[in-house]
Amino acid sequence: MSIELFSCHSYPPPIIRFPPHQQMSSLSFPSSFPVHRRADFKKSLFRSPSNQLSFPIISPDDQWGMWTAIFSIGAFGIWSEKTEIGSMLSGALVSTLVGLASSSLGIIGSEAPAYNIVMEFLLPLAVPLLLYRADMRRIIRSTGALLLAFLIGSFGTTVGTAVAFMAVPMRSLGQDSWKLAAALMGSYIGGSVNYVAISEALQVSPSVIAAGVAVDNVICALYFTTLFALASKIPAEPSTSETLLPENTIIQQSSGNKMIPVLQTATALSVSFIICKTAKFLTNFFGIQGGNLPAITAIVVVLATAFPNQFSYLAPVGEAMAMILMQVFFVVLGASGSIRNVVNSAPSIFLFALVQISVHLAVVLGLGRLLRFDLKLLLLASNANVGGPTTACAMANAKGWNSLVVPAILSGIFGIAIATFIGIAFGQNVLRLM
């Protein structure tokens, strides 16, 4: 049979003949059809339909589709923590991995306008919402010896970062090596929000950030197991008084019979927008590149210290919204990454983090015992360093150390407030030069 294909050019169309029992690639071109165009014509004709797909299943320009996917994966990550596997991995890692798998399988794209909105607006918005309890005066006044133990842990993380970077320099990451080391240092003084802030300020590539998140969660799981093993023989405190958590803390779950605090939620969100706008104006005015998240952190800490009652009132709803926004960020972080880069870079990052956290623990136990600190204070402070206020509170509750629940939470918040600045400064002034 003969099929005539008409080109948009002025050349006479070739006659394509597919005789029975012969290859379909047998093409008969008229002599006037240019020879140099025949190979390209064959390639375009027999290109497989799958190769002609230029978009994933959900187009990056499909705003409703992209936002549906992002928030659905984020909600799945939060829900996963109710399962046995999800609680071991953490919601952040589940959201990151599902986002990474979705982009790798072609469900969503690795680049999309929605991702830029998350990174430019939603992520900065989450930082003030997380830090409405960062009243530094109350933290220093209420934590006592635990804060000193926490500072020892922060020093241990700093020493561990320097030692690990000399032992495992992660050369395969190029310029991202010292930047990721600084980000992990911030994470093991404060928490995930510091890891994100330092990575954003130092402009770490998305694939390396995703690999760091995956490694960080594995290291944390192993480390918390170690901490509980070391604390296994420390007895609980006599239950003479009721455990007192900070008023309206997010750790206290709602009984479900209260109305949603609409005004409180709207006010918390509005204040966060104001802080973000102020930080953006200041960083632009002074020409500070990558300083948006550190500036936001500084402003909210100053305000929460100056107006503790007002910001403490906004903290419960702020922390709930921040949890959702952080999950959305982790989805975007995974979707922007590359499985190949994550797999290639993860082993060196794992070795680095393992050395880093091992030296941290050695310094905490060695220096802490030398200064005659109680072992449970050292272990709880280390938990607050590595995991943040939520895991430190959980450990204090689980072990029955009721008098240390509030100091553990406040120490973790203190770490979040200072870790970004320490990590960036140490990275730029020490790690970059090593």
Side-chain angles (χ1 to χ4, degrees), residues 283-300:
T283 53
N284 289 342
F285 182 80
F286 291 104
I288 305 174
Q289 185 177 5
N292 196 30
L293 292 182
I296 290 171
T297 303
I299 292 172
V300 70

Side-chain angles (χ1 to χ4, degrees), residues 127 130-131 133-136 139-140 143 146-147 149-151 153-155 157 182-195 197-198 297 301 381-390 392 407-424:
V127 176
L130 277 173
L131 290 174
R133 297 188 196 276
D135 176 6
M136 302 302 285
I139 290 172
I140 295 172
T143 51
L146 184 61
L147 182 60
F150 181 88
L151 293 175
S154 300
F155 174 72
T157 298
L184 287 172
M185 173 181 167
S187 179
Y188 296 149
I189 292 176
S192 298
V193 67
N194 304 106
Y195 175 86
I198 296 171
T297 303
V301 168
S382 180
N383 190 311
N385 277 131
V386 176
T390 304
I409 295 172
L410 296 178
S411 295
I413 293 173
F414 176 77
I416 294 174
I418 66 171
T420 298
F421 307 104
I422 295 175
I424 293 175

Side-chain angles (χ1 to χ4, degrees), residues 277-332:
K277 173 58 182 175
T278 304
K280 186 68 175 179
F281 171 79
L282 292 175
T283 53
N284 289 342
F285 182 80
F286 291 104
I288 305 174
Q289 185 177 5
N292 196 30
L293 292 182
I296 290 171
T297 303
I299 292 172
V300 70
V301 168
V302 169
L303 291 176
T305 303
F307 307 100
N309 294 332
Q310 291 82 352
F311 277 83
S312 178
Y313 168 75
L314 301 176
V317 294
E319 290 163 355
M321 288 188 287
M323 182 183 297
I324 297 172
L325 295 177
M326 289 301 296
Q327 288 297 126
V328 167
F329 162 75
F330 284 117
V331 174
V332 170

Side-chain angles (χ1 to χ4, degrees), residues 77 84 115-116 133 143 170-171 176 226 272 285 338 354 410 422:
E84 184 176 353
Y115 299 167
N116 298 331
R133 297 188 196 276
T143 51
M170 301 183 290
R171 292 190 180 91
D176 280 335
T226 303
S272 184
F285 182 80
S338 163
L354 185 62
L410 296 178
I422 295 175

Side-chain angles (χ1 to χ4, degrees), residues 181-260:
L184 287 172
M185 173 181 167
S187 179
Y188 296 149
I189 292 176
S192 298
V193 67
N194 304 106
Y195 175 86
V196 172
I198 296 171
S199 298
E200 192 259 1
L202 299 180
Q203 299 179 338
V204 183
S205 62
S207 294
V208 174
I209 298 176
V213 170
V215 168
D216 175 52
N217 281 275
V218 173
I219 290 292
C220 285
L222 296 174
Y223 189 66
F224 294 148
T225 303
T226 303
L227 289 182
F228 272 93
L230 292 172
S232 60
K233 295 183 179 180
I234 302 177
E237 296 175 355
S239 55
T240 55
S241 61
E242 185 179 353
T243 301
L244 296 177
L245 293 176
E247 184 181 0
N248 294 326
T249 182
I250 193 173
I251 298 169
Q252 294 174 318
Q253 299 297 322
S254 173
S255 59
N257 58 357
K258 295 182 179 180
M259 295 180 61
I260 297 175

Side-chain angles (χ1 to χ4, degrees), residues 4 26 31 51 54 85 124 145 225 234 239 249 273 290 292 311 331 393 395:
E4 292 192 0
S26 299
S31 58
N51 291 335
S54 57
I85 297 177
T225 303
I234 302 177
S239 55
T249 182
F273 270 105
N292 196 30
F311 277 83
V331 174
C393 173
M395 182 177 185

Side-chain angles (χ1 to χ4, degrees), residues 1 4 36 66 78 94 181 184 228 269 318 352 386 410:
M1 68 176 177
E4 292 192 0
H36 69 277
M66 288 303 303
I78 295 174
V94 170
L184 287 172
F228 272 93
L269 201 56
F352 171 86
V386 176
L410 296 178

Side-chain angles (χ1 to χ4, degrees), residues 19 32 56 75 82 130 179 215 222 276 323 340 360 374 404:
S32 58
K82 297 181 179 295
L130 277 173
K179 298 175 183 179
V215 168
L222 296 174
C276 291
M323 182 183 297
R340 176 179 298 178
H360 160 85
D374 190 4
L404 296 176

